Amino acid sequence: MVTFLPTPIGNLQDISLHTLEVLENCEVLLCEDTRVTKKLLLLLMERNLLKSKTYQYFSFHTHNQVEFLQQISLEFFSQNIAFLSDAGMPCISDPGVELVRFLQKNALEYEVVGGISALTLAVAFSGIVEKEFTFLGFPLHKKKERLEGFVESFKSPYPTIYYESPHRLLESLEMMCEIEEGREIFLAKELTKKYQQTYKGTLKEVLGKLQKSVIKGEWVMVIEGKKGGEKERVLTQEMIYLLDIPPKIKAKILSKLNNKPASKYYNLLCKE
C-alpha cells in the first residue's frame, strides 16, 4: 500500500505522530527529491523522533513520473510504501497526482495522511478568506498568459490564492497593480520558519514595501475577491465606434470583439 505523507514546510516539530508511525512501518520511499527526504529523516533520527532505519529510496517527480509508472510492476505496490514531496502536502502544487490516478486506475490501495500546507496556513493567516476561495497554484510563466490569468481571477467574487517564486514576485505584483492597485492582498513567506514574514494591505502599498526589500523564499499570495458593488469596466461596441482613433485600429478592435474580418469594419468606417 502507498501512503502519501505531509512533511514540515519549515518547523521540524510540525511532523505528525501519524506520519512518524507510517515511516517506522514502511520499507520503500518514493521521493520528489531523495536528497531532501534523506536530510529530513536524518534530522528526525538525530532528535530521536524516528528510530534509525534503512529504506529503499526511489525518485518520483514531475520529470520522471510517467516513465516510472510505465516501467514499474504492480507487484511493487504490495510493499509498504510512503510518498513524500519536498515540503508540505503532496498533490498540492507538488508531485503525487499522477501516482494517485495510477493507483485508482489499477485498484491499488492507498492512504493520505493529513498535514500542514502553505495554502491552508495562508488562508488562516490572511483575514481575507471567510469561506470559499480559489487556489490556482503558481501563475503561468509567460507574461502575456500570466497577465490574462490575473485579469480573469480578479473578476471572481471569491479570494484567489497563488504561490509565487522570489524572482517573479515583484513582476506579478506590478501586473496586478495595473489591473486594480487598490485590491487588498496578504503575502507570506517562510511560514513556520525562523524568518517568517507577512504583509497585508492594498496591492500598491504591499508592492511599495517589497520594492525596498530583498526578495527571497517562495511566497503565498491571498487576493481579496471582487466586491459586489464594483462595476466591471467593459468597452462596448458602441463605445468603440465613438473612440477618436484611426479607422484601421478601430476596425481591428471590432474584428477581435466580434470574430469577423477587420476589412468589413474598415470599409464600413471609411464610408461614414
Side-chain angles (χ1 to χ4, degrees), residues 105-116:
K105 180 182 177 181
N106 291 282
L108 295 169
E109 191 176 3
Y110 68 95
E111 187 60 74
V112 180
V113 174
I116 200 165

Side-chain angles (χ1 to χ4, degrees), residues 27-49:
E27 308 142 7
V28 178
L29 301 181
L30 294 179
C31 318
E32 180 180 3
D33 187 326
T34 56
R35 295 166 299 180
V36 173
T37 299
K38 287 176 181 178
K39 184 177 179 180
L40 170 65
L41 297 187
L42 180 61
L43 287 171
L44 292 172
M45 291 173 189
E46 286 177 350
R47 299 190 185 187
N48 296 317
L49 294 170

Side-chain angles (χ1 to χ4, degrees), residues 25-251:
N25 294 321
C26 70
E27 308 142 7
V28 178
L29 301 181
L30 294 179
C31 318
E32 180 180 3
D33 187 326
T34 56
R35 295 166 299 180
V36 173
T37 299
K38 287 176 181 178
K39 184 177 179 180
L40 170 65
L41 297 187
L42 180 61
L43 287 171
L44 292 172
M45 291 173 189
E46 286 177 350
R47 299 190 185 187
N48 296 317
L49 294 170
L50 183 67
K51 294 176 183 176
S52 182
K53 184 177 179 178
T54 302
Y55 298 93
Q56 276 187 283
Y57 294 88
F58 293 88
S59 292
F60 187 95
H61 46 73
T62 52
H63 300 294
N64 78 337
Q65 59 189 7
V66 174
E67 184 181 2
F68 183 95
L69 294 173
Q70 286 175 343
Q71 295 180 354
I72 205 74
S73 69
L74 295 183
E75 185 63 26
F76 173 81
F77 295 99
S78 63
Q79 308 172 89
N80 286 330
I81 301 169
F83 174 83
L84 303 90
S85 56
D86 288 350
M89 197 70 191
C91 307
I92 300 181
S93 282
D94 268 339
V97 177
E98 286 303 317
L99 180 56
V100 170
R101 290 171 179 162
F102 177 87
L103 297 170
Q104 291 172 337
K105 180 182 177 181
N106 291 282
L108 295 169
E109 191 176 3
Y110 68 95
E111 187 60 74
V112 180
V113 174
I116 200 165
S117 167
L119 169 63
T120 51
L121 272 173
V123 166
F125 256 115
S126 71
I128 291 176
V129 181
E130 293 183 14
K131 189 179 178 183
E132 300 96 338
F133 65 87
T134 303
F135 175 58
L136 296 177
F138 285 90
L140 295 168
H141 284 269
K142 292 183 179 178
K143 290 182 181 181
K144 183 176 180 291
E145 294 175 353
R146 201 185 334 163
L147 178 59
E148 289 172 352
F150 290 151
V151 169
E152 196 61 33
S153 67
F154 269 50
K155 296 177 184 177
S156 173
Y158 306 118
T160 302
I161 302 175
Y162 287 103
Y163 289 161
E164 189 54 291
S165 61
H167 64 276
R168 294 194 312 167
L169 180 69
L170 291 179
E171 187 177 71
S172 288
L173 291 174
E174 287 166 0
M175 287 181 177
M176 291 181 187
C177 274
E178 288 297 319
I179 303 167
E180 188 185 330
E181 63 181 22
R183 187 75 66 99
E184 189 174 39
I185 186 170
F186 170 85
L187 277 98
K189 75 162 186 171
E190 307 290 319
L191 285 169
T192 78
K193 299 179 185 177
K194 183 178 180 180
Y195 298 107
Q196 172 178 295
Q197 285 185 294
T198 61
Y199 298 83
K200 188 175 182 183
T202 66
L203 275 162
K204 184 178 180 180
E205 291 168 345
V206 172
L207 176 60
K209 291 177 183 177
L210 290 174
Q211 285 172 330
K212 302 170 185 175
S213 307
V214 177
I215 307 298
K216 292 182 178 179
E218 289 194 344
W219 295 73
V220 190
M221 305 188 287
V222 184
I223 305 118
E224 73 169 334
K226 181 179 178 181
K227 294 177 181 176
E230 294 177 357
K231 291 184 179 179
E232 188 176 345
R233 290 173 286 182
V234 178
L235 191 63
T236 65
Q237 184 166 305
E238 291 75 15
M239 292 165 67
I240 294 168
Y241 275 115
L242 295 172
L243 288 173
D244 185 19
I245 56 176
K248 192 173 183 180
I249 297 174
K250 197 180 293 187

